[in-house]
Amino acid sequence: MEWLHDALAEIGLQPARATALIHVERHPGCDQAALGRVLGINRASTMAMVNTLVALNAIARHPGRDRRSNALHLTDDGHRLVAETIQITADHDAHVFETLTDAERAELFRLLVKVRAANSATAPRAATTRRVNLRRVK
């Protein structure tokens, strides 16, 4: 995993920023609120991330659907960074999963999607419950 972080850092990205760029590439015109929800981060963190990506000339803000929102679009540099990110990730995955057969990779992916889907639906409740239980223990 460190290899992936280092490789992304060479092109000026952290994994979360790379994920944000890919989301904007796949959902051109999305607003910052939608991006924050997808990434699971608060508004201030989303604003900081978008500001950083704008400073990197990777995304541009355009008027959104109302006066309070911005539509996010990739710039030419953003498209280049997405292409580099996809290549870096593919190289990383090929190395990490080289010992698995194609069938094993497909099964692993299927299982990870299943775990993610099950946990994304229950994560907020589980986190709240855990905090409450920890308070009772003390």
Side-chain angles (χ1 to χ4, degrees):
M1 190 65 108
E2 189 174 325
W3 178 90
L4 180 60
H5 289 245
D6 292 345
L8 288 172
E10 287 180 18
I11 61 169
L13 295 178
Q14 297 170 344
R17 291 179 190 156
T19 302
L21 283 178
I22 290 170
H23 180 79
V24 172
E25 189 254 347
R26 292 185 179 165
H27 302 90
C30 69
D31 63 21
Q32 290 178 192
L35 180 61
R37 281 191 303 274
V38 166
L39 296 175
I41 58 177
N42 63 36
R43 286 171 51 179
S45 296
T46 304
M47 176 73 79
M49 178 178 293
V50 169
N51 288 344
T52 299
L53 292 171
V54 167
L56 289 171
N57 194 37
I59 62 171
R61 291 181 175 108
H62 297 287
R65 66 183 183 286
D66 59 42
R67 292 185 320 170
R68 296 179 302 156
S69 67
N70 292 303
L72 304 175
H73 294 274
L74 291 183
T75 63
D76 290 341
D77 287 345
H79 284 288
R80 180 186 52 78
L81 284 170
V82 166
E84 289 182 60
T85 297
I86 290 170
Q87 185 60 55
I88 288 168
T89 304
D91 292 346
H92 173 266
D93 290 354
H95 173 73
V96 169
F97 300 113
E98 69 187 350
T99 60
L100 299 178
T101 67
D102 288 344
E104 289 169 332
R105 284 184 200 146
E107 179 66 4
L108 176 61
F109 181 75
R110 185 189 70 75
L111 292 171
L112 290 172
V113 168
K114 182 177 181 178
V115 168
R116 181 177 184 213
N119 285 300
S120 66
T122 60
R125 283 183 300 195
T128 303
T129 303
R130 228 178 278 120
R131 274 190 297 251
V132 171
N133 289 341
L134 288 174
R135 287 184 185 138
R136 287 183 191 159
V137 171
K138 291 180 181 178

